[in-house]
Amino acid sequence: MDWASLIRRVYLDDVLACPCGGRRRVVADIGQRAQREAIVAIVTHLGIPTEPPLIARARDPSFAAA
């Protein structure tokens, strides 16, 4: 059985059902041994950023009170 069928069987949840009413599709199955280069290549091909967004610095708590 594929993973989606197992999840549907155990949790009664269709993980491939999209909220828009369509169906999601599996693009790639990447195991633990996949190299970073392969993951970056797939994500880049999909047009998804490969680097996380910058996190803003924390503000002084007194700044929020003003």
Side-chain angles (χ1 to χ4, degrees):
M1 285 186 129
D2 64 325
W3 65 273
S5 298
L6 290 171
I7 291 177
R8 183 173 37 246
R9 184 176 181 177
V10 173
Y11 297 107
L12 304 176
D13 188 21
D14 186 4
V15 295
L16 297 179
C18 183
C20 72
R23 300 288 296 166
R24 293 182 179 118
R25 63 188 174 95
V26 176
V27 176
D29 182 11
I30 302 172
Q32 291 180 345
R33 297 182 188 200
Q35 295 182 7
R36 177 174 168 74
E37 295 82 21
I39 296 169
V40 169
I42 293 168
V43 171
T44 302
H45 176 74
L46 295 173
I48 301 170
T50 57
E51 297 296 325
L54 295 175
I55 298 175
R57 293 181 58 175
R59 289 182 277 168
D60 186 344
S62 63
F63 180 77

